[in-house]
Amino acid sequence: MSAQDETVAGLKQILITASNTGTCYGDHLARHLVDWFQFGEHQLYKKQQQQQQSDSSQHIPDTTLKTASPVDILLASTAVIPRLVEQGKADEILDTLRTYSQLPYVDKEVLEVLVLCLAVTAKQTEQKKLVTDAHSAVRELCTNTHLFFLFIQFSKMIAKKDGHCGWGRGLRRAVGSWYLSWEPHRLAVEVTRHASAHGWTHRDVIKLAHLKLKDMPIGTQVVLHYVFQGLGRTTEKYSGQDNSQDLLTLLQALDKDGHPQEGEKAWDVDEVISKVTKLHEKFGNLTLDDVPSQSLKSQELWSHLLDKLDSESLVASVNRLGRCHLLNPSTETLHPLQDQLVARLTQETVAAGPISPTQTLLSLHAYQHPARFIVDLAVKSGRGGARGAGRVLARKSSKVNPKVIEAMHTLIANSAKNIDKTKGKLGVCIDVRGSMATTHVWTGNPEGKGEVTCQEAAAVTALSLSSGGTNTAVSTLAFSESGLVNLTLGEGATLSQVINVFKETVIGGVNVNAALEWGKENGAETLVVLTHRLDHQAVAVASQALDQFNHEHNTQLRLVLCGLGTKRLNTPHIPGILLMLGFHHRTPTIIRAFHERYF
């Protein structure tokens, strides 16, 4: 592969894995950088305040981060973009961003990394056409407020490093085009569904972009006037003008508490029910963001809401309902709501939605093992304040509903069957030793482990890759005493059934050479090894075996090594090998994209 091809491949890898290394940890690169930047700015502001309030010239220690700044890390992680510009391949950058934004392997988390790449592209000032085209692509790639404000935040971070404010003509035009490109009714839903993100509000952005409402179409004027003045003044100004009544009626239904007036009453259940009914009738989809959070403790509201939520919001609502004690099996009067939730979770339309088996499994464990943080160990200071306060993980006692658990397991199986089948022979080789059942996956959380066992993670990954046992191009195998044995996953197999198949297998150690031999005999294009622990020696042995195998047989077999319970390994990029540590809801998706040669 030439240097230019490697550069393009590096950009594609970032857009699929959110990482520019050969190892995937499940880290959220874009979000970590924004949080880190905002933390650094807050620390700097506190230091400046201390200096202003200090009456002496005593030195105040610098509490800002001493390591590389988040902007430096941002630019380093996307260094492939300026390299493409240097190689004269600037046109491929936006083409790749547009193409990959449409792939099924790119979800909303990876879109944040795509927006990061778009912001870096828009700052390649030596390429004026590229910068102009990047700003023109903002509306196409930033498909919601969250991504749009993320682009603005990244632009600010990069510009600040160069001593600029970030609000040049190109960004102002991009902001104006973003708002103008929305159909007014859709824009009304967007500005009320997501009023703010990443420290920005629609009012901030519109003011800094110097948008003039009088130059805009009447529908856009109504919505943006509402952003600044609220529902009452907007209704007074535009009532009866140019058929704006329908839009005003929609805003009245959407209006939350963003512009509370003195004496205004809080939401009641009937108002919320009316709102969600109108939204569902007009647009056909509904998320939890459309519902005032303070009203989500009402059983009556949930009974109207469950049949209207999209699949992701429906699965997310299980844990919320559990926290509100609306699913307790001992509560006789609430059985109709429980039965309604169970019936909805088992509908084919839910399984056919964007929800994945891994997301459902993680939500199921969140429901089965509820946890919350409490502030404890607070030591009172001499001046009456609290210092030394820490966050301690405490378990809430909560009863789980067996019917809901069974419905979630059914959804895992049904949603796996709806995953598009991969092409090319794929072998999924699983470690079925007892340690897989007793160790937990690494999810990157501060407590060090998740509730999901490595055995469950391997089972749900096998289900996802095999499309619920329906894809004949995918073989599920187990490491046994005799090498590798085939595991039969029946069509529509449940998670429990797959785990039982694991338990019935005669166990054996992980043997990469045996997997490679199976790949040779069966014409496999990719092999996946799922185990609970990886170390440097295991990776080095596997790398050497793969190189030797491909050289001897003149093949391009690829290998995925998944250490489901492994935290960190400082391993350089190894051609032909994808190293995945820990478990993330995107783990099967990344493996499928690697197998399909998207990076």
Side-chain angles (χ1 to χ4, degrees):
M1 183 181 294
S2 67
Q4 290 188 357
D5 292 338
E6 288 179 356
T7 308
V8 175
L11 176 60
K12 293 177 178 179
Q13 177 180 326
I14 293 172
L15 297 178
I16 293 291
T17 67
S19 172
N20 62 345
T21 68
T23 306
C24 298
Y25 296 103
D27 288 341
H28 202 300
L29 175 64
R31 196 169 299 167
H32 288 335
L33 288 173
V34 171
D35 292 344
W36 192 8
F37 179 79
Q38 292 177 342
F39 170 76
E41 284 198 322
H42 178 66
Q43 292 292 89
L44 181 61
Y45 174 77
K46 287 175 60 177
K47 178 186 173 184
Q48 292 172 345
Q49 292 293 102
Q50 290 174 352
Q51 289 176 336
Q52 292 175 2
Q53 296 174 3
S54 177
D55 295 330
S56 64
S57 58
Q58 183 179 0
H59 174 68
I60 297 176
D62 188 356
T63 58
T64 57
L65 297 171
K66 294 294 185 181
T67 56
S69 73
V71 182
D72 292 331
I73 296 177
L74 182 155
L75 296 175
S77 63
T78 55
V80 64
I81 292 175
R83 286 204 299 270
L84 281 168
V85 173
E86 292 173 2
Q87 295 172 359
K89 302 174 77 69
D91 292 341
E92 291 196 23
I93 298 174
L94 290 178
D95 289 343
T96 303
L97 295 184
R98 287 190 173 97
T99 300
Y100 273 60
S101 69
Q102 302 300 318
L103 293 179
Y105 307 108
V106 176
D107 61 10
K108 57 187 178 182
E109 289 190 8
V110 181
L111 282 175
E112 295 180 358
V113 180
L114 187 145
V115 168
L116 187 157
C117 294
L118 179 63
V120 174
T121 303
K123 293 300 181 181
Q124 304 302 307
T125 53
E126 68 279 5
Q127 295 283 331
K128 293 184 178 180
K129 182 179 182 302
L130 179 62
V131 172
T132 301
D133 292 344
H135 283 126
S136 299
V138 169
R139 173 60 183 100
E140 179 183 354
L141 301 178
C142 301
T143 53
N144 56 46
T145 296
H146 174 78
L147 296 176
F148 178 49
F149 286 174
L150 188 63
F151 174 81
I152 293 173
Q153 180 64 20
F154 282 133
S155 298
K156 173 187 175 182
M157 291 168 63
I158 300 170
K160 190 169 184 179
K161 180 178 177 63
D162 298 329
H164 305 297
C165 67
W167 285 92
R169 285 178 295 178
L171 182 56
R172 292 200 298 270
R173 283 196 299 267
V175 170
S177 298
W178 192 87
Y179 283 104
L180 285 169
S181 63
W182 287 86
E183 191 274 327
H185 290 77
R186 287 285 182 181
L187 180 60
V189 174
E190 188 63 28
V191 299
T192 52
R193 178 180 287 173
H194 305 290
S196 63
H198 306 296
W200 297 93
T201 66
H202 288 283
R203 183 182 298 190
D204 297 334
V205 171
I206 294 168
K207 287 176 66 176
L208 290 170
H210 306 304
L211 300 188
K212 297 180 180 179
L213 268 61
K214 64 180 181 180
D215 298 332
M216 296 182 173
I218 186 65
T220 308
Q221 282 189 43
V222 172
V223 177
L224 298 189
H225 190 277
Y226 162 81
V227 169
F228 278 92
Q229 300 295 334
L231 181 62
R233 293 184 179 180
T234 302
T235 303
E236 291 176 6
K237 181 176 176 63
Y238 291 99
S239 183
Q241 291 189 25
D242 297 330
N243 300 319
S244 60
Q245 189 57 46
D246 186 44
L247 185 56
L248 291 171
T249 302
L250 176 62
L251 283 171
Q252 184 176 8
L254 294 171
D255 187 47
K256 295 182 182 179
D257 52 354
H259 304 279
Q261 305 294 326
E262 186 175 353
E264 182 182 12
K265 65 177 182 179
W267 279 101
D268 61 37
V269 174
D270 291 337
E271 288 176 323
V272 179
I273 292 174
S274 176
K275 172 191 172 179
V276 298
T277 302
K278 288 179 180 178
L279 271 178
H280 189 261
E281 290 175 352
K282 190 169 186 64
F283 299 108
N285 65 335
L286 199 70
T287 71
L288 289 176
D289 291 325
D290 297 316
V291 186
S293 58
Q294 66 268 28
S295 62
L296 286 175
K297 294 182 179 180
S298 166
Q299 176 193 352
E300 183 183 358
L301 171 62
W302 279 110
S303 66
H304 285 80
L305 194 60
L306 287 177
D307 292 334
K308 300 177 177 63
L309 290 174
D310 61 21
S311 58
E312 289 182 307
S313 296
L314 178 69
V315 170
S317 69
V318 173
N319 191 27
R320 187 182 287 265
L321 284 164
R323 293 201 308 268
C324 295
H325 305 289
L326 296 179
L327 298 179
N328 289 356
S330 60
T331 310
E332 298 292 337
T333 58
L334 299 182
H335 276 175
L337 181 63
Q338 299 166 15
D339 293 340
Q340 183 184 0
L341 174 63
V342 169
R344 181 83 170 109
L345 287 170
T346 53
Q347 286 179 356
E348 292 184 3
T349 53
V350 175
I355 192 67
S356 69
T358 48
Q359 286 175 303
T360 307
L361 175 63
L362 293 172
S363 295
L364 172 61
H365 274 275
Y367 169 61
Q368 288 181 300
H369 308 282
R372 62 185 174 91
F373 282 104
I374 60 172
V375 177
D376 198 2
L377 305 178
V379 180
K380 295 293 184 180
S381 66
R383 292 173 291 181
R387 59 182 176 84
R391 301 181 78 192
V392 179
L393 186 64
R395 296 291 180 189
K396 293 189 299 183
S397 59
S398 177
K399 295 181 179 180
V400 296
N401 192 312
K403 291 184 178 180
V404 175
I405 294 175
E406 183 180 354
M408 294 282 274
H409 277 283
T410 301
L411 180 56
I412 291 173
N414 292 340
S415 59
K417 290 192 298 182
N418 283 287
I419 295 176
D420 293 337
K421 296 179 177 62
T422 58
K423 300 175 182 178
K425 188 66 176 178
L426 173 67
V428 183
C429 310
I430 302 173
D431 180 359
V432 295
R433 290 175 293 184
S435 55
M436 291 282 283
T438 57
T439 57
H440 293 80
V441 300
W442 168 253
T443 59
N445 60 48
E447 286 69 57
K449 66 178 183 180
E451 298 291 348
V452 180
T453 65
C454 293
Q455 187 180 67
E456 289 175 311
V460 77
T461 301
L463 281 175
S464 300
L465 294 175
S466 65
S467 300
T470 63
N471 189 357
T472 57
V474 179
S475 297
T476 305
L477 309 118
F479 292 105
S480 179
E481 282 185 343
S482 57
L484 281 171
V485 295
N486 278 296
L487 303 180
T488 302
L489 304 185
E491 182 176 339
T494 65
L495 196 68
S496 300
Q497 290 171 343
V498 176
I499 291 175
N500 286 335
V501 172
F502 292 171
K503 293 177 180 178
E504 295 169 357
T505 305
V506 178
I507 63 174
V510 174
N511 188 338
V512 174
N513 286 316
L516 293 172
E517 188 62 30
W518 180 93
K520 173 189 172 184
E521 295 173 355
N522 293 272
E525 296 181 6
T526 308
L527 294 173
V528 180
V529 175
L530 297 170
T531 184
H532 74 289
R533 183 176 301 162
L534 289 173
D535 54 30
H536 288 95
Q537 183 179 359
V539 174
V541 169
S543 175
Q544 183 178 1
L546 180 66
D547 285 342
Q548 183 177 350
F549 178 86
N550 283 331
H551 178 72
E552 290 179 355
H553 299 93
N554 193 26
T555 57
Q556 294 183 341
L557 180 67
R558 285 184 161 194
L559 180 63
V560 180
L561 299 175
C562 290
L564 298 169
T566 307
K567 298 180 182 179
R568 295 281 173 179
L569 278 181
N570 295 321
T571 304
H573 174 67
I574 305 172
I577 291 183
L578 174 65
L579 185 61
M580 303 196 68
L581 305 182
F583 180 73
H584 188 256
H585 74 86
R586 296 193 66 249
T587 296
T589 302
I590 295 173
I591 295 173
R592 292 176 65 233
F594 183 74
H595 170 59
E596 295 282 0
R597 270 46 175 184
Y598 280 103
F599 69 100

